[in-house]
Amino acid sequence: MHRVGVLAVDGVIAFELGIPERILGTTTTADGTPLYDVRVATVDGGPVRTSAGYRVLPEHGIEVLERADTLVVPAVRGPNTGDPGAAVLGLVRRAVDRGARVVAICTGAFTLAAAGVLDGRRATTHWAHVDDFRSLYPHVELDPDVLFVDDGDVLTSAGVAAGIDLCLHLVRRDHGAGTAAATARRNVVAPWREGGQAQFVESHVPGGGPDTRAVREWALQHLDRPLAVEELAERASMSVRTFTRRFRAETGTSPGRWLSARRLDLVRRLLETTDLPVEQVAARSGFGTTAALRQRLHADIGMAPLAYRRSHRAPAVTR
């Protein structure tokens, strides 16, 4: 199994501390075999105070963090913008040096930045702490408007639910969309929110009136055809300007980016669960040509369609 070490430090936010085990720890194969071994540990093996008013006494010490294939650094209250301590910084640097994947949830990005592993790299954190982060770590390419950032071996997320999104993204990256969807269903959470989605999404439709939900549902059934924003707006009985504004308020992204992400979603499912030729996958997902599909898939995940299929093939293939 893929070994995941979750670092618990003094002041850790309790909810974020539990996310990796809740998501990764419940991810299994179709026959129920666990895919991740998730263990929480402290650098000295002792208890730490959480933000929720109770202490955590992990069953493991720094040895599980040193051996982890993925090291997760959850958020701390405040955030802890001071020195997290030489032991923690050394742990993070060693993880990167030995080729482990390092993941920060919310203000855990401050710890990664303090260790120097984010210098010159793209990252994100909770929107409320952007100014502090930028003043402390000007060499980090901070993007405050997204849910999470995948920069290869170093990943960061915004707060709370974005940590769930990031962990599901890890499952999707490691084992494919089908396994990630099964984990999401098991935990009763949304199966996929793209990392580039805005951190803040309106909780209501501005100005009242109809929303875009029905049009989005219709679009998902017609991804094989061109879908211009003008057509979608007309179907919603709105002007293009009103439709675009409402769409962004409801989803946190533009119609074009949303459609592109849903098309890629469909591509992944078809490659993982069917034997359809790449030409048919491109046609069904609306990319039109294999060249267009290949270019988009390579830009997003650095793999050609057939290579992705080999790497993420589901156990049972629909023929």
Side-chain angles (χ1 to χ4, degrees):
M1 287 186 291
H2 186 100
R3 296 169 297 188
V4 180
V6 184
L7 173 64
V9 298
D10 212 41
V12 67
I13 296 180
F15 183 88
E16 277 85 337
L17 179 63
I19 289 174
E21 196 285 327
R22 181 71 261 182
I23 301 300
L24 301 178
T26 60
T27 298
T28 68
T29 61
D31 64 2
T33 302
L35 290 170
Y36 298 92
D37 177 16
V38 184
R39 301 190 182 193
V40 177
T42 57
V43 291
D44 61 2
V48 294
R49 293 178 298 108
T50 73
S51 64
Y54 56 82
R55 289 177 178 267
V56 170
L57 178 58
E59 297 178 351
H60 309 285
I62 195 171
E63 66 279 356
V64 305
L65 304 174
E66 296 282 12
R67 294 195 304 262
D69 303 304
T70 294
L71 174 66
V72 182
V73 182
V76 290
R77 179 70 73 190
N80 181 11
T81 54
D83 185 355
V88 169
L89 296 180
L91 171 70
V92 172
R93 293 186 188 115
R94 289 192 299 276
V96 172
D97 289 344
R98 62 183 171 81
R101 183 166 60 188
V102 179
V103 176
I105 297 177
C106 192
T107 54
F110 280 80
T111 297
L112 269 56
V117 302
L118 294 182
D119 285 354
R121 306 185 72 153
R122 185 166 168 260
T124 193
T125 191
H126 193 290
W127 61 266
H129 303 295
V130 167
D131 290 342
D132 287 340
F133 190 98
R134 280 180 168 155
S135 65
L136 286 165
Y137 308 111
H139 300 300
V140 179
E141 186 184 337
L142 187 69
D143 187 344
D145 299 320
V146 298
L147 293 178
F148 61 83
V149 170
D150 181 341
D151 198 36
D153 58 337
V154 178
L155 301 91
T156 51
S157 82
V160 194
I164 297 174
D165 295 319
L166 180 53
C167 285
L168 284 172
H169 172 73
L170 293 177
V171 176
R172 185 185 182 91
R173 194 173 107 170
D174 293 344
H175 301 288
T179 300
T183 298
R185 285 195 300 273
R186 190 172 294 114
N187 289 282
V188 198
V189 296
W192 175 245
R193 291 196 301 169
E194 63 172 311
Q197 184 170 314
Q199 288 192 27
F200 178 74
V201 180
E202 297 272 2
S203 60
H204 65 283
V205 179
D211 59 29
T212 67
R213 187 183 319 152
V215 174
R216 280 182 274 136
E217 292 174 357
W218 177 85
L220 289 175
Q221 304 304 314
H222 297 83
L223 291 175
D224 60 328
R225 53 175 286 186
L227 296 171
V229 66
E230 291 81 6
E231 179 183 2
L232 299 178
E234 182 179 0
R235 183 167 288 274
S237 301
M238 302 179 194
S239 67
V240 170
R241 181 178 179 182
T242 298
F243 177 79
T244 302
R245 186 177 70 250
R246 289 179 183 272
F247 196 100
R248 185 178 291 277
E250 293 168 28
T251 68
T253 190
S254 68
R257 289 188 65 177
W258 184 87
L259 279 170
S260 183
R262 300 294 76 75
R263 292 187 195 281
L264 191 59
D265 234 9
L266 178 57
V267 165
R268 288 179 163 182
R269 290 200 304 273
L270 293 174
L271 289 175
E272 292 171 23
T273 62
T274 77
D275 281 332
L276 287 174
V278 175
E279 294 82 358
Q280 291 186 35
V281 172
R284 290 195 183 190
S285 58
F287 282 98
T289 66
T290 57
L293 170 57
R294 187 175 295 109
Q295 182 178 20
R296 175 60 197 273
L297 199 62
H298 191 274
D300 273 63
I301 60 176
M303 300 177 75
L306 292 181
Y308 181 87
R309 172 172 273 166
R310 286 192 298 269
S311 299
H312 296 82
R313 174 69 98 185
V317 179
T318 303
R319 296 185 182 275

